[in-house]
Amino acid sequence: MAAELSGKVVIVTGGARGLGAAMGREIVEGGGKVLLTDVLEKEGAETAAALGDAARFHRHDVTSEEDWAAVFAYAVAEFGRVDGLVNNAGVGAGEMLESETVAHFRRVIDINLVGVFIGVHTAIPVLREYGGGSIVNISSAAGLMGLALTAGYGASKWGVRGLSKIAAVELAEGRIRVNSVHPGMTYTPMVEAVGVKPGEGGYPGAPMGRVGVPEEIASAVGFLLSDAAAYVTGAELAVDGGWTAGPTVRTLTGR
């Protein structure tokens, strides 16, 4: 059941597919309107069209200040206001620290962390103009623990976690709430491409024994965007099947 989001206008970056597309559906099904943004123009336009009149698409490079300004201007022009922002766009990585190149590290930080900073920075005056709102920054389980093979990615997601708390403290008086969501292994096109399978037993590293599905992450985001979370800011919500809570009983006992 979608969160109650009637009348709210939300921008979702990385909205062409996967988690972002599921968040767009959550918002529309909850009665809100959504502007999906992405560099994947064809997929983004198709996703928005499938959601109907309550959705729009805008091409968006999250590392560009000019693109961010254009996205907010477009949202206001199309829907009359902005009430929320989901910083979901990002890139993955799978390098050991020793083999990570400086160029690749900088690229990941630029998209995953600097892009979130620019988004929050651009959102502040717009959300204030319309009486406040909610910003949800998508971090990762890799932003809650040290995870091998995530040099740039993990560093960026820890950064998103910290930036979210700083923003929550600074923006609370302006009625702007800021929270971070930390997905675990979730079944998206990116994960499918590396051979991860959905369903029970598909991810034994998590106590729940499976990967998540995008709708489960989207439900958490919908809650944080909604008025049901009116007193929630500075929180970090792990949606990971217990992965970051600790090792499984199977791991500890060998059974």
Side-chain angles (χ1 to χ4, degrees):
M1 184 174 181
E4 173 52 53
L5 295 168
S6 296
K8 295 190 183 297
V9 176
V10 182
I11 296 168
V12 177
T13 69
R17 61 182 186 175
L19 295 182
M23 293 167 194
R25 287 193 297 272
E26 174 80 12
I27 292 162
V28 171
E29 289 175 3
K33 296 178 180 178
V34 66
L35 173 58
L36 303 174
T37 80
D38 211 303
V39 293
L40 301 174
E41 294 185 63
K42 182 176 183 293
E43 291 176 80
E46 290 173 350
T47 299
L51 292 175
D53 290 341
R56 301 287 189 278
F57 173 76
H58 198 287
R59 191 192 184 283
H60 183 197
D61 172 0
V62 296
T63 68
S64 165
E65 293 179 70
E66 292 77 15
D67 275 17
W68 271 108
V71 161
F72 272 89
Y74 182 75
V76 172
E78 289 293 304
F79 296 129
R81 58 183 296 117
V82 177
D83 303 283
L85 167 65
V86 183
N87 278 306
N88 170 67
V91 292
E95 293 286 335
M96 291 290 284
L97 183 61
E98 187 177 8
S99 58
E100 179 93 19
T101 66
V102 172
H104 187 265
F105 187 91
R106 283 179 171 155
R107 176 176 178 270
V108 173
I109 294 293
D110 201 28
I111 295 170
N112 290 7
L113 179 56
V114 178
V116 172
F117 165 75
I118 302 172
V120 173
H121 189 267
T122 309
I124 293 169
V126 181
L127 293 179
R128 279 181 177 158
E129 181 178 351
Y130 296 106
S134 173
I135 298 173
V136 182
N137 295 325
I138 306 303
S139 179
S140 169
L144 294 172
M145 62 180 177
L147 190 62
L149 295 170
T150 67
Y153 180 79
S156 72
K157 294 304 186 178
W158 276 84
V160 168
R161 177 188 180 190
L163 180 63
S164 299
K165 289 191 179 295
I166 294 165
V169 172
E170 292 189 1
L171 303 179
E173 290 185 4
R175 302 177 64 84
I176 298 172
R177 298 182 295 105
V178 187
N179 297 285
S180 59
V181 170
H182 299 256
M185 189 69 74
T186 308
Y187 193 66
T188 64
M190 185 184 300
V191 169
E192 183 182 8
V194 298
V196 174
K197 304 296 183 183
E200 295 297 329
Y203 194 62
M208 292 186 72
R210 64 173 178 83
V211 300
V213 295
E215 290 74 18
E216 292 169 322
I217 314 302
S219 292
V221 171
F223 164 70
L224 292 172
L225 291 170
S226 77
D227 293 339
Y231 200 53
V232 181
T233 195
E236 47 195 46
L237 179 55
V239 189
D240 65 357
W243 188 21
T244 56
T248 65
V249 173
R250 186 183 308 105
T251 300
L252 293 172
T253 65
R255 298 198 298 267

